[in-house]
Amino acid sequence: MQVSENIFLIRKDFMVTPVVKRYVNIYLIRGNSGYYLVDSGVAGTESLVAEFMQSLGANSKDIKGLLLTHSHPDHIGAANQIKKASGCKVYAPSKELDWIENIENQFRDRPIPNFHQLLAESVQVDVPVEDGQVIGLEKGLEVKCVATAGHSHGSMSYLLNGTCLFIGDAIPVVTDLPIFMDYEESVRTIQRLRNMKNVEHFCPAWDCVYSQEKFESVTEASLKMLHGLKNAAMEVAGNGIEDGSTTSQNSADGIRMILEKAGLLQFAGNPLVARSIEACLK
């Protein structure tokens, strides 16, 4: 999919478990001197990227830079393969280097199903980035780093030439599983992005590319969903304390109750949902 004249969306479908299907959007930026990727997708995505680049009359060796929004497997899974094929520089949030450069640290802290199938190799980061840092990719392509924590503790978004913002998983999508590790940070991130001016395209890893007008409605709905999940979690947790029930917010029954109250029962089978509920109660 073509987002603008020189920005392309590549979608990668994958399975978290035999019954949980996901997808991730990665983005390819075409410059005058080369190409630049935002995120790499899961392991194996490098072949999809190479095929897409061939359709543009280019190849993987033309990739000069890879910007990682955060450390989760569906964003860094193919990073090392792409780096080895192209020799590109890898840019990534400084707060998440421990999970990117040593994936066993991430597996220990966040052991999702099929982890090593989705993310087989660590990757060394050439340029750790911080909030507000400006990166000159080449003449005419400038990226500003925007801290957007919440989904992960160091998530970073990238603003290209002031008009196109690559937001990774910063915005929970109301039709999808809300995955975040810090409720308050997630809310602050949404509000920060809503206040950004002159952005023409908001490019997420989930859902579709948003215009400014669409982004306002999406983020309003996202905030409503987050508030609803937090209120449901606090209600179930409070009731369990009051009546001595074993149906706590951490039990399977408690999780189902919370999701039902929040209108999100369809996600009860996903192993990551418990972490989002925990984040609502910190």
Side-chain angles (χ1 to χ4, degrees):
M1 172 185 168
Q2 193 161 2
V3 177
S4 65
E5 182 180 358
N6 291 308
I7 299 173
F8 305 88
L9 183 159
I10 305 171
R11 171 172 164 157
K12 173 65 175 178
D13 295 294
F14 64 96
M15 302 298 294
V16 178
T17 72
V19 296
V20 178
K21 185 176 182 179
R22 302 285 295 171
Y23 71 88
V24 64
N25 299 331
I26 64 177
Y27 294 89
L28 182 67
I29 303 165
R30 179 169 57 194
N32 292 319
S33 302
Y35 288 77
Y36 306 86
L37 277 172
V38 179
D39 287 332
S40 73
V42 298
T45 305
E46 65 275 6
S47 59
L48 181 63
V49 171
E51 181 181 342
F52 186 86
M53 293 188 69
Q54 287 175 4
S55 73
L56 299 177
N59 61 62
S60 297
K61 294 186 182 297
D62 295 318
I63 299 173
K64 305 301 182 185
L66 169 58
L67 298 98
L68 301 176
T69 60
H70 61 291
S71 57
H72 291 167
D74 52 331
H75 295 261
I76 73 166
N80 201 48
Q81 289 297 325
I82 289 170
K83 182 175 184 176
K84 287 191 291 188
S86 66
C88 68
K89 282 187 178 180
V90 175
Y91 305 80
S94 61
K95 291 183 179 179
E96 300 201 10
L97 295 186
D98 57 333
W99 276 17
I100 295 171
E101 296 188 330
N102 187 339
I103 62 170
E104 295 310 316
N105 290 339
Q106 181 173 176
F107 182 63
R108 179 196 64 218
D109 298 337
R110 191 177 185 262
I112 67 168
N114 294 319
F115 178 90
H116 289 98
Q117 284 69 50
L118 301 173
L119 172 54
E121 297 181 325
S122 305
V123 64
Q124 292 302 118
V125 175
D126 300 290
V127 184
V129 301
E130 304 281 352
D131 183 38
Q133 184 174 339
V134 176
I135 302 167
L137 297 175
E138 63 172 65
K139 185 177 181 180
L141 288 182
E142 184 177 88
V143 168
K144 182 177 181 179
C145 303
V146 182
T148 46
H151 175 77
S152 70
H153 71 281
S155 289
M156 193 71 66
S157 294
Y158 299 103
L159 180 62
L160 177 66
N161 290 347
T163 61
C164 186
L165 184 65
F166 303 96
I167 59 177
D169 294 337
I171 306 299
V173 180
V174 295
T175 57
D176 211 331
L177 172 69
I179 300 175
F180 54 94
M181 64 169 295
D182 191 307
Y183 172 83
E184 298 295 341
E185 286 279 17
S186 291
V187 171
R188 281 194 288 270
T189 281
I190 294 172
Q191 293 170 337
R192 180 182 192 184
L193 296 183
R194 281 168 65 90
N195 290 331
M196 294 185 68
K197 307 300 182 185
N198 302 318
V199 177
E200 297 175 3
H201 302 290
F202 292 85
C203 299
W206 297 341
D207 206 14
C208 60
V209 176
Y210 309 126
S211 64
Q212 180 77 58
E213 182 179 2
K214 178 66 174 177
F215 188 70
E216 290 178 7
S217 64
V218 165
T219 50
E220 183 177 350
S222 182
L223 285 170
K224 184 178 179 180
M225 178 187 66
L226 287 177
H227 295 329
L229 182 59
K230 181 177 179 66
N231 290 339
M234 294 182 69
E235 181 180 344
V236 171
N239 288 343
I241 292 170
E242 289 175 7
D243 62 19
S245 170
T246 57
T247 307
S248 73
Q249 74 275 7
N250 295 317
S251 70
D253 287 343
I255 289 172
R256 287 186 65 85
M257 288 178 61
I258 291 167
L259 294 175
E260 185 172 16
K261 287 178 179 292
L264 299 169
L265 187 57
Q266 68 270 34
F267 302 120
N270 193 297
L272 293 174
V273 72
R275 287 177 175 256
S276 297
I277 291 172
E278 291 172 9
C280 289
L281 296 167
K282 289 180 180 178

